[in-house]
């Protein structure tokens, strides 16, 4: 616990799990959960470096802003998801492929 | 004792995040995500980030998680607590994610962190964060407020039935 | 004190906001009384400040508060308030006139189409005027300077359905712009050399020699003293515009198109005095040469406008030219160094001229109602040739008119006598004390007292002409006269208050000597030391000595000339011993010149605006006939020919190459389209593979 790499390894695992969720899940809400995992991984890194390397509060500030951004992002993303549901009756991302053509 | 708690939290985070990534029941995933968030808040406490820990619980657990549950409930016809979910391109996904994990871990572990680094024990970060927020980060703060307003209006506009 | 000042500054703005956003809804529910109430609150606050000032009784009292507004590293602009005795007195003048005008307007403007908006504009005007008065720096004065310009424009054009009103508004705005360009340039010169806009700091730094050290280096080796003169005169140009000094006076008479209470508030008592106030503020750093320029502009304006006022028949036009003339007096006083006298006249003039305008408004109001009753919409309600004999019908208005006319004519027992006398003594002392430079050769400085006394005589003449034509004699149009009646109380009470404030003792207490201006005013306002070190500055001590000597002869002369003017007026217009028409005929050229305002408007139109438009037309034709026809189109014809040849080469060689590459990309696109699944997660995988590959490539 007094070792930076224990935090960094945790954050790397958390990041990978989040990434995996984003890449493989079909449900849009589940993908959103993956995004939150990734953001949390980044936050842990910022705060850990703040304590072990830079010795100031800048990392904390960045984390505060990230949390704020995550909240905004979740709100907008869920609004989009609701729209998608109203439009198609499901929220499966792999079937939303009108980007093709 | 502290060491033990730390590793417990460590394992809790990895386990719950794993459940989020691999679980088959969406409801279970959401509750596992709550475990992850709480665990991360615990990690913040170990990092002396008291303000962030509280913010984490208030915003993530109290706000975002509730939003996610709403999102699930509004987009499924619920009859049981079992909302199954499935995944796509699992094989390709696991290979590439593992590759990236290996890359990050090799970067983290190959560097010798112990040499030059002393941990800094902050006491009471709230005052410091407050000061920074209204001096060096003032513009960022103002922009963030505008962004939040934009997100608010945007979400409300998008969620209306007649778009 | 600062808090009080902030309240006084921002309360009228509140009134503006309320009237603009909510006013229309409350028009029928006495919404205007909110504005009146706010205005009277500021009046009370101002009076509290006045009492505080009187209890301190310290001529050197000053208070400053400032807040950084714009910080660009080396260049900083502070906004703030500066309060001294002058500020407090000015605040009171503005608050008194403004609140009385608000009260008066509730009756005068009753039933107007844009009633609530009118009160809103009065509010923003009062706000900006207070801003000018409280400003601690040239920059802040400039901001509010433009704001009063704007509110003046809005109020002059209040009845914009009339073309003449709309045009008068534009004229006022544009004419002021000419002066403001000068002011802005002057400000920039001062800020460039000294790095500050703040009045106190400017004076300090000039005194410490910063100007002498920097000016030459920054402005191409110009002599610092000359540059300071130029800067002073340039800043003063703003005052020339706003205070309607020659040659930018043309807008003020036209501004009478606005409602009469507005004329009283803005174009007689306060806004036009802002120029004089600005000159008071920059007084410490004016050089002797700049002051001489200012004195001559003021003196000439005083007599020039007075000669025009003699022949005007519109009651408001007479008062407008008299305002220009009186403003010329104040400016001349400041130019000759009679600082206290200039500011004193500003205050006394605000009171009696405000009263004169409001009283004339009362007459016009009565005329309007009478004309309305007999369904006459042709006759001009402001033309004095249609009035006459009104004193029996409007006794209060007549009494106020009498008192204030006595004040403006410089008759003892009234405030105007004291201030005017001080100005005349100042110009006399100035002329007697100039011993060197271009003024002393030819004795040109003696022109100033001549202007001053001449204007004093003419003022007495035309003001009593106005009274005799309006209130005495028999009614020229009996059918109108029959319906004339005194205005309501809300109009007459402000008149009476202002008439009382035009008495001499208001300004001389606790001493009550009708021929000496010594009193609280002269004790609290004292001339500042000149800060100019670069060359000849104004010698205050010398001047005050001369002032003492000139006091008695100046007073005697001023009494004699005022009596002469009054006598002539009585002979011509009251007793009709001399026929005005015959006199006009005998004086032919002079009469026509004066009647047509010495052709100043015609000069501007024919001498500047028309030639300018013609020049524009000529340049335009040159553009069209020569430049467009031969150069542009000719070039075009040649280019067309050349391009036809080039086009042929293009078709064969370049197009061939382009088509070939097109074919290649078409083929590429066809092959690549199979990896486009349209699924985001697929794309994400590609991105991740790319990122991993980049990392690997970077390491190995």
């Amino acid at each position: 616990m007094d070792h930076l790499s224990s935090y960094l390894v945790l954050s790397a695992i958390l990041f990978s799990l989040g990434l995996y969720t984003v890449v493989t899940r079909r449900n849009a809400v589940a993908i959103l959960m993956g995004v939150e995992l990734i953001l949390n991984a980044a936050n842990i890194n910022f705060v850990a470096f703040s304590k072990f390397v830079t010795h100031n509060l800048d990392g904390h500030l960045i984390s505060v802003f990230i949390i704020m951004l995550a909240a905004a992002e979740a709100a907008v993303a869920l609004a989009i998801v609701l729209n998608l549901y109203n439009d198609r009756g499901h929220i499966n991302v792999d079937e939303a492929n009108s980007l093709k053509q | 004792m502290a060491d033990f708690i730390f590793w417990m939290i460590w394992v809790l985070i990895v386990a719950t995040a794993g459940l989020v990534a691999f679980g088959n029941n969406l409801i279970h995933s959401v509750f596992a995500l709550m475990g992850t968030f709480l665990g991360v808040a615990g990690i913040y406490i170990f990092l002396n980030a008291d303000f962030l820990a509280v913010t984490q619980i208030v915003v993530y657990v109290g706000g975002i998680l509730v939003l996610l549950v709403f999102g699930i409930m509004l987009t499924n016809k619920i009859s049981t607590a079992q909302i199954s979910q499935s995944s796509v391109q699992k094989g390709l996904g696991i290979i590439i994610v593992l590759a990236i994990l290996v890359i990050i871990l090799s970067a983290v572990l190959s560097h010798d962190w112990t040499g030059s680094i002393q941990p800094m024990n902050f006491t009471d970060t709230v005052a410091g964060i407050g000061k920074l927020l209204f001096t060096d980060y003032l513009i960022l703060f103002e922009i963030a407020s505008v962004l939040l307003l934009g997100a608010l209006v945007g979400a409300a506009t998008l969620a209306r039935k007649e778009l | 004190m600062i808090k009080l000042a902030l309240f006084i500054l921002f309360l009228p703005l509140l009134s503006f906001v309320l009237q603009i956003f909510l006013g229309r809804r409350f028009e029928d529910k006495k919404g205007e009384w909110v504005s009146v109430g706010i205005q009277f609150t500021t009046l009370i606050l101002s009076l509290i400040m006045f009492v505080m000032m009187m209890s301190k009784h310290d001529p050197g009292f000053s208070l400053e508060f400032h807040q950084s507004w714009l910080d660009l590293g080396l260049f900083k602009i502070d906004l703030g308030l500066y309060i001294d005795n002058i500020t407090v007195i000015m605040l009171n003048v503005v608050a008194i006139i403004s609140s009385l005008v608000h009260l008066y307007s509730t009756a005068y403007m009753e039933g107007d189409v844009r009633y609530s908006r009118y009160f809103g504009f009065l509010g923003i005007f009062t706000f900006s005027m207070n801003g000018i008065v409280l400003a601690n720096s040239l920059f802040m004065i400039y901001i509010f300077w433009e704001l009063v310009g704007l509110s003046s424009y809005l109020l002059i054009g209040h009845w914009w359905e009339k073309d003449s009103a709309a045009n008068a508004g534009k004229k006022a705005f544009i004419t002021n712009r000419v002066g403001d360009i000068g002011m802005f340039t002057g400000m920039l010169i001062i800020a460039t050399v000294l790095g500050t806009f703040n009045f106190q700091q400017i004076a300090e730094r000039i005194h410490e020699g910063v100007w002498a050290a920097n000016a030459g280096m920054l402005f191409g080796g110009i002599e610092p003293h000359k540059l300071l003169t130029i800067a002073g005169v340039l800043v003063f140009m703003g005052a020339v515009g706003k205070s309607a000094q020659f040659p930018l006076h043309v807008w003020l008479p036209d501004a009478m198109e606005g409602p009469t209470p507005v004329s009283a508030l803005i174009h007689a008592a306060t806004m036009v005095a802002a120029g004089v106030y600005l000159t008071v503020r920059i007084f410490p750093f004016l050089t002797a040469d700049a002051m001489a320029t200012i004195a001559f502009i003021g003196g000439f304006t005083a007599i020039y406008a007075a000669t025009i006022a003699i022949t005007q028949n519109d009651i408001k036009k007479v008062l407008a030219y008299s305002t220009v003339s009186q403003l010329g007096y104040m400016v001349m006083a400041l130019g000759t160094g009679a600082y206290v006298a200039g500011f004193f006249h500003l205050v006394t003039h605000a009171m009696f001229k405000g009263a004169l305008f409001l009283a004339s408004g009362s007459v016009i109001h009565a005329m309007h109602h009478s004309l309305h009753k007999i369904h006459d919409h042709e006759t001009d309600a402001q033309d004095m040739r249609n009035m006459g004999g009104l004193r029996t019908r409007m006794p209060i208005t007549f009494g106020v008119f009498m008192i204030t006319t006595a004040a403006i004519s410089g008759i003892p027992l009234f405030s105007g006598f004291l201030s005017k006398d001080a100005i005349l003594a100042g110009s006399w002392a100035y002329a007697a004390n100039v011993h060197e430079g271009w003024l002393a050769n030819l004795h040109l400085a003696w022109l100033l007292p001549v202007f001053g006394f001449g204007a004093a005589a003419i003022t007495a003449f035309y003001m009593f002409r106005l009274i005799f034509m309006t209130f005495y004699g028999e009614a020229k149009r009996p059918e109108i006269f029959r319906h004339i009646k005194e205005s309501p109380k809300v109009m007459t009470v402000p008149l009476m208050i202002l008439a009382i404030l035009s008495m001499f003792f208001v300004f001389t207490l606790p001493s009550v000597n009708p021929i000496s201006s010594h009193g609280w005013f002269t004790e609290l306002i004292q001339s500042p030391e000149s800060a100019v070190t670069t060359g000849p500055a104004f010698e205050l001590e010398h001047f005050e000595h001369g002032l003492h000597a000139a006091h008695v002869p100046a007073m005697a002369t001023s009494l004699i000339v005022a009596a002469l003017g009054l006598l002539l007026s009585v002979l011509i217009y009251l007793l009709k011993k001399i026929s005005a028409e015959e006199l006009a005929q005998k004086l032919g050229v002079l009469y026509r010149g004066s009647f047509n305002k010495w052709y100043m408007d015609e000069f501007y139109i024919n001498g500047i605006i028309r030639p300018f438009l013609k020049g524009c037309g000529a340049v335009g034709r040159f553009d069209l006939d020569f430049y467009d026809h031969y150069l542009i189109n000719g070039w075009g014809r040649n280019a067309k020919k050349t391009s036809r040849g080039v086009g042929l080469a293009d078709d064969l060689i370049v197009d061939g190459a382009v088509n070939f590459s097109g074919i290649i990309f078409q083929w590429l696109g066809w092959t690549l389209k199979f990896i486009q699944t349209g699924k985001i997660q697929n794309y994400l995988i590609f991105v991740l593979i790319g990122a991993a590959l980049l990392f690997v490539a970077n390491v190995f």
Side-chain angles (χ1 to χ4, degrees), chain A residues 50-69:
Chain A
S50 193
K51 172 167 175 163
F52 287 97
V53 183
T54 60
H55 294 172
N56 59 31
L57 286 172
D58 287 353
H60 291 218
L61 258 300
I62 300 291
S63 293
V64 170
F65 284 113
I66 290 176
I67 292 176
M68 182 224 90
L69 265 180

Side-chain angles (χ1 to χ4, degrees), chain A residues 1-62:
Chain A
M1 61 172 277
D2 282 334
H3 209 267
L4 179 59
S5 46
S6 59
Y7 297 99
L8 295 185
V9 169
L10 174 66
S11 133
I13 293 172
L14 206 53
F15 175 75
S16 304
L17 289 170
L19 204 55
Y20 178 78
T21 316
V22 172
V23 170
T24 60
R25 286 300 192 198
R26 295 176 69 216
N27 190 310
V29 179
I31 289 178
L32 212 52
M33 284 154 63
V35 173
E36 303 299 343
L37 287 185
I38 292 176
L39 290 174
N40 265 297
N43 269 354
I44 291 176
N45 264 7
F46 272 117
V47 181
F49 280 121
S50 193
K51 172 167 175 163
F52 287 97
V53 183
T54 60
H55 294 172
N56 59 31
L57 286 172
D58 287 353
H60 291 218
L61 258 300
I62 300 291

Side-chain angles (χ1 to χ4, degrees), chain A residues 22-23 25 31 94 97 100, chain C residues 677-679 681 683-685:
Chain A
V22 172
V23 170
R25 286 300 192 198
I31 289 178
D94 60 326
N97 61 354
K100 203 174 165 184
Chain C
T677 59
K679 294 178 191 168
Q681 285 163 316
Y683 296 155
L684 192 56
I685 289 272

